[in-house]
Amino acid sequence: MADGTESTNDESKNQTAADGGNSGHRTAVTAALIGAGGAIVAAAIGVAAVLIGPQSGGGGGAVPSAHGPSVSGSPASAATPSAIPKSQTAQYRGTRMLTGSGLDLDHTPPDPSWEDLLYEKRPGRGIMVGPALTSASWSAPKPPSRAQCEEALKTGLPAGHVFGHAAPGTAFCMWTNVDNVAFVRIAQQAGEEGVPVDLIVWGKQPT
């Protein structure tokens, strides 16, 4: 009897040991699987971070373009005012009514004042240039540049010239009262109030 009991006990111990060994093996396999799964997830996160790259905000830099480096600001345009030479920049362009009150071409816009031009309705009169100012006729259909006006004025008309009974289209260059350069063209036939004139006034050249 004692031998039978011992044999039974030995078998129970062996079974328990076997179960413990199997349990330990399953635990090890499970841990290995969990570790492998964690490594795969971590690798996937790393790949996603590389593909997505840094995001904007939080002080991060701009993401470079696949077609080349990014350039901030707008491209320069040749049509911008800064691209126009100062000598060609007019301080006023427009149409004003020249009346018996005259026009001050040095004011922007030109205002009624007998400073540079005057319209005189008396017979034989017309558009009068200031008594001390020189002028020069301009016959080309296209308005001149400042430089062209200055060149014409070198051999212009005597000071205080009167463009009597001037028809629409009559044009001339002139020096103003403060040595600005102006271009004047009669825009329409004179009426009771005066005569409309197209004007371009260039300010003094920078020194």
Side-chain angles (χ1 to χ4, degrees):
M1 292 295 291
D3 292 338
T5 301
E6 291 177 0
S7 177
T8 300
N9 290 337
D10 290 339
E11 290 176 357
S12 297
K13 292 178 180 179
N14 291 335
Q15 183 63 39
T16 300
D19 291 342
N22 291 335
S23 175
H25 177 70
R26 286 194 300 270
T27 302
V29 170
T30 301
L33 290 175
I34 292 173
I40 292 172
V41 171
I45 292 173
V47 170
V50 171
L51 292 177
I52 293 174
Q55 301 301 306
S56 61
V63 179
S65 168
H67 301 288
S70 61
V71 179
S72 61
S74 58
S77 171
T80 56
S82 60
I84 302 173
K86 288 184 178 180
S87 61
Q88 300 299 317
T89 303
Q91 68 182 29
Y92 177 79
R93 291 176 183 263
T95 302
R96 305 293 286 178
M97 180 66 75
L98 175 60
T99 68
S101 297
L103 275 177
D104 179 3
L105 302 181
D106 299 312
H107 189 272
T108 304
D111 60 1
S113 175
W114 177 213
E115 297 288 339
D116 302 299
L117 284 177
L118 181 70
Y119 175 62
E120 178 59 75
K121 292 191 293 184
R122 288 183 298 173
R125 307 303 288 172
I127 296 180
M128 303 169 58
V129 177
L133 306 178
T134 58
S135 57
S137 296
W138 183 261
S139 58
K142 183 179 179 180
S145 65
R146 179 196 177 105
Q148 289 173 319
C149 260
E150 288 183 335
E151 186 63 28
L153 287 166
K154 290 178 181 179
T155 55
L157 300 166
H161 182 77
V162 177
F163 294 87
H165 304 295
T170 300
F172 56 93
C173 295
M174 62 176 289
W175 289 106
T176 72
N177 201 40
V178 296
D179 296 331
N180 289 332
V181 179
F183 171 72
V184 182
R185 188 192 299 276
I186 299 177
Q188 298 177 24
Q189 187 70 39
E192 287 297 322
E193 294 183 1
V195 55
V197 291
D198 295 329
L199 301 172
I200 303 176
V201 182
W202 293 276
K204 293 180 179 179
Q205 292 269 28
T207 57

